[in-house]
Amino acid sequence: MIIAEMQTEAATVRIHDEFFTGVSQGSLEHISQIITNSYKRRNAEKEKAPKQE
């Protein structure tokens, strides 16, 4: 069961849990920002790493 859903241009975050007590829109936006920043850091690290042949 989907309890909450947050959509942005980059991602969709869905909270699946029958026992979830609730979430505010601000919390979902914060979680989405954390995930987005993580992907950006990973991609930046991959771009900086020397390419192996």
Side-chain angles (χ1 to χ4, degrees), residues 13-31:
V13 177
R14 292 187 183 105
I15 309 297
H16 298 265
D17 195 332
E18 295 178 67
F19 303 104
F20 191 72
T21 59
V23 65
S24 69
Q25 186 67 23
S27 295
L28 286 175
E29 290 173 3
H30 183 68
I31 292 168

Side-chain angles (χ1 to χ4, degrees), residues 2-19:
I2 298 174
I3 300 299
E5 181 175 287
M6 168 73 177
Q7 292 186 343
T8 67
E9 292 179 15
T12 300
V13 177
R14 292 187 183 105
I15 309 297
H16 298 265
D17 195 332
E18 295 178 67
F19 303 104

